[in-house]
Amino acid sequence: MDSILKEISTRLKQCTAYADDILITTRTTQAMIDTFVKLKNESLKYGLVVNVYKTKYLKCTRRQHQPKSINTENKEFKQVKSFKYLGSNVNTDNIIEEEIKERIALGNKAFYTNKKMFRSKLISKMAKLKLYCSVIRPLVTYACETWTLKETITNKLMVFERKVLRKIFGPNN
C-alpha cells in the first residue's frame, strides 16, 4: 500500500491508509475522482481491487447540501453524512456526541460482561481497578486525543466513570 500511496499522493490531496481502509482527502470533487481513479489503477498493478460497493464519500461543507451520488468509470458512489474509519465516527458536522454515546455504551457492555468478576469478594480492589483501567477505560477513551470536548461531554464521561467505579467498589460506609 505504501508504494501505491506514494505514487498517487500530491500536495493538494492526501491519502491515509491502515490495512485495507483508505481515506482520500481532497478540496474538490474532481480531485477526489481523479485520485480515486489513480488509486484504482495503481492498485490493479499490484493485483489489488477496490471494492466499489463499500466505497462512499463524505462532503464537509458549511453550506446545506442534499446527498447525491458521484459517477466515475460507470460506477456510482453514494454520499454519506457519516462513516466509521478505524473505529471512530467521521461526520459532516464534526460533532462527537454520537461517538461519546457509543463509547459509553461499549464501556457499559464491557462492565456488565465482567460484572461477576467486578463484584467478586475474592478479587482485590487493586486487581479490579487494574482490570477497569485496562479493559473498560480504553474502550471508552479510544481515539480521545482527537476529541474536542465540551463541558457537557466531559461531565458525561466523568459520570460514567464514577458510576462504574461505585459499582465496582460498592458504597462507602
Side-chain angles (χ1 to χ4, degrees), residues 103-116:
R103 297 276 172 203
I104 289 173
L106 284 172
N108 278 322
K109 189 174 181 180
F111 171 76
Y112 285 106
T113 300
N114 296 298
K115 188 176 178 179
K116 284 184 181 180

Side-chain angles (χ1 to χ4, degrees), residues 46-98:
Y46 291 87
L48 300 173
V49 179
V50 175
N51 186 338
V52 293
Y53 300 109
K54 290 183 178 180
T55 304
K56 307 208 180 328
Y57 79 99
L58 176 117
K59 184 174 184 178
C60 294
T61 181
R62 289 189 176 135
R63 287 183 243 140
Q64 293 294 331
H65 58 282
Q66 295 294 325
K68 58 181 182 177
S69 299
I70 290 179
N71 292 313
T72 179
E73 295 186 343
N74 299 324
K75 307 276 190 288
E76 183 179 40
F77 303 113
K78 283 180 31 181
Q79 182 177 354
V80 294
K81 291 188 176 191
S82 68
F83 67 92
K84 200 170 231 39
Y85 182 70
L86 301 180
S88 295
N89 286 327
V90 179
N91 58 54
T92 56
D93 302 323
N94 199 24
I95 51 176
I96 60 165
E97 280 80 1
E98 289 300 315

